Amino acid sequence: MTTPPQSVTIKPNQTTEALPMSNMSQLFDASRFPGDVKVRSNGKATVMTRCGSENGSLRLFSLWEGAILSFNRIYTQVWPLAQNEAANILLLNFCQKGRCEVVLEDGQFAFLSQGHMAVGTQQAQEEYRYPSGLYEGIELFLDLDLLAHRPYPLFQEGEVSPEGIMEHLHTSRRLYLGPTPACVQTLLDDLWQLRDSEEVGLLKLLSALLLWKVERQPLETSPAVRYFTSSQVAIARETRNILCADLSQNHTARELAERFQVAETSLKNYFRGVFGENLSTFLREVRMRRAAELLQSSELRVAEIAAQVGYENQSKFAAVFVRHFGCPPLEYRRRAHLSIADDN
């Protein structure tokens, strides 16, 4: 019998004073997620896992009442959203790898990429989106109402202020999105090395130091960020769908641009802005991943696999495959079969 998943628990200190309900309780309430999201806790860390082809995990640590650290490893384009209500939560999102979609209150879109950070009180309204199907990063959730009512002693001792961070980054005007300063990135790399540990004390210290540095490190006042409209993002997404629907087809950028009645250059810019790669690079990588899957899971001849992923010329396919994987297709198949045999 499966034990029902439990949500993140924030343990109260011994006090007779009534505390307000945390706005973050709904963020990680297992009952508000689809059934394919599982939650387990060992008393130190709480792990939210999504299994299957669309998979990923969030490893959460309660630093204090109203302060949560999350290590995110997402390998899907969409992660479900639990909360719908507006909440007074300051979210600091640091991207280590991949891309994350950020929706602004004015309906525009921006994309957080490796080595960049987003800070603000705006929350996703529908779901979390990761255009490339890959996102690894660190997030800090700070419940501003609860922390104002009961300050975190470590923040007080270290002179860390959520309000000071917001003022420093001017988040009252707009979400801050820009490059992560080098000294902050160094600390993030140290934190990331602890993503599977249970050294809660060290995680608390490093998290406080991270916020201290963010609040004091000079930042770009007007970082160069490209913003996109919902229609531009929709064109990029639909272009991806068309490319991936049948890899044997060869669609040109001009053909796709004409379909959406936009300039070819504009189409390429939308696609690169959303997915972080140009059309040809993206399509080549998708084709090579699919070819590798077919080599492992089927007995199709190399020429047949080449045709299925859009290469009429087997020699050209093999040359691209070698550049991508470092070995010819048949050698890749042999190694894959040997690996499976060893596992069994």
Side-chain angles (χ1 to χ4, degrees):
M1 184 174 180
T2 303
T3 302
Q6 298 178 351
S7 56
V8 172
T9 301
I10 300 177
K11 298 180 180 179
N13 291 343
Q14 295 295 323
T15 179
T16 58
E17 184 180 0
L19 289 174
M21 178 88 53
S22 173
N23 289 327
M24 288 192 294
S25 61
Q26 59 183 315
L27 287 172
F28 312 110
D29 182 352
S31 65
R32 297 170 65 109
F33 282 93
D36 61 347
V37 177
K38 308 301 180 185
V39 184
R40 57 182 174 83
S41 177
N42 63 5
K44 288 188 175 181
T46 296
V47 181
M48 304 186 70
T49 306
R50 191 178 194 187
C51 301
S53 58
E54 297 182 343
N55 63 87
S57 68
L58 310 181
R59 195 159 191 259
L60 308 152
F61 292 88
S62 176
L63 307 176
W64 178 255
E65 299 158 329
I68 291 177
L69 170 69
S70 177
F71 293 103
N72 301 344
R73 284 172 277 195
I74 309 295
Y75 308 109
T76 176
Q77 291 186 52
V78 177
W79 185 267
L81 180 68
Q83 89 281 14
N84 294 312
E85 299 87 352
N88 193 22
I89 295 170
L90 178 63
L91 172 60
L92 298 95
N93 187 355
F94 304 93
C95 180
Q96 293 289 92
K97 188 177 182 180
R99 293 174 74 74
C100 175
E101 180 179 286
V102 179
V103 185
L104 305 179
E105 289 180 346
D106 59 7
Q108 288 188 308
F109 293 74
F111 295 87
L112 186 66
S113 58
Q114 183 174 340
H116 285 70
M117 55 187 271
V119 181
T121 54
Q122 296 177 204
Q123 300 293 313
Q125 297 301 311
E126 297 179 357
E127 56 202 358
Y128 299 104
R129 286 185 173 269
Y130 307 94
S132 61
L134 165 65
Y135 178 76
E136 294 179 350
I138 296 172
E139 287 185 299
L140 278 160
F141 297 84
L142 304 179
D143 185 324
L144 298 174
D145 295 336
L146 199 58
L147 289 172
H149 187 89
R150 182 165 303 263
Y152 184 11
L154 189 56
F155 284 0
Q156 289 183 307
E157 291 294 326
E159 298 182 345
V160 172
S161 165
E163 293 75 15
I165 293 171
M166 295 169 68
E167 182 178 353
H168 179 52
L169 301 179
H170 305 292
T171 59
S172 59
R173 293 203 300 268
R174 193 171 197 176
L175 176 89
Y176 177 85
L177 179 61
T180 304
C183 71
V184 175
Q185 186 61 56
T186 298
L187 190 52
L188 287 168
D189 294 339
D190 291 340
L191 262 175
W192 188 249
Q193 294 301 314
L194 298 171
R195 61 192 180 278
D196 292 317
S197 79
E198 294 185 354
E199 299 289 341
V200 180
L202 182 55
L203 291 173
K204 289 181 177 182
L205 289 171
L206 291 178
S207 297
L209 180 56
L210 174 67
L211 294 175
W212 188 92
K213 286 182 177 292
V214 168
E215 187 175 353
R216 290 162 176 79
Q217 181 67 19
L219 301 166
E220 293 188 29
T221 55
S222 300
V225 177
R226 176 74 188 272
Y227 296 98
F228 298 89
T229 66
S230 59
S231 62
Q232 291 169 342
V233 172
I235 288 172
R237 288 178 184 162
E238 185 58 25
T239 298
R240 180 192 185 280
N241 292 340
I242 293 169
L243 293 174
C244 295
D246 185 353
L247 294 176
S248 67
Q249 299 297 313
N250 287 289
H251 299 282
T252 66
R254 174 174 294 182
E255 168 204 334
L256 293 167
E258 289 175 352
R259 179 179 301 202
F260 296 111
Q261 298 183 334
V262 297
E264 183 177 341
T265 301
S266 297
L267 176 79
K268 292 178 178 179
N269 288 337
Y270 302 161
F271 193 90
R272 187 183 301 109
V274 172
F275 295 103
E277 296 178 311
N278 61 41
L279 282 165
S280 59
T281 301
F282 172 85
L283 187 56
R284 182 174 62 250
E285 291 183 353
V286 171
R287 283 172 162 164
M288 290 300 103
R289 286 199 300 269
R290 180 55 181 159
E293 291 172 1
L294 290 172
L295 286 165
Q296 294 180 67
S297 62
S298 77
E299 297 302 322
L300 292 172
R301 295 182 296 111
V302 171
E304 294 173 310
I305 292 174
Q308 283 200 22
V309 297
Y311 289 87
E312 296 179 2
N313 186 306
Q314 182 180 334
S315 297
K316 183 176 180 181
F317 164 75
V320 175
F321 192 93
V322 169
R323 287 198 299 272
H324 195 83
F325 290 103
C327 65
L330 287 178
E331 177 63 18
Y332 184 92
R333 172 175 274 169
R334 282 191 287 268
R335 291 179 184 179
H337 288 173
L338 285 172
S339 177
I340 293 172
D342 290 343
D343 291 341
N344 294 334

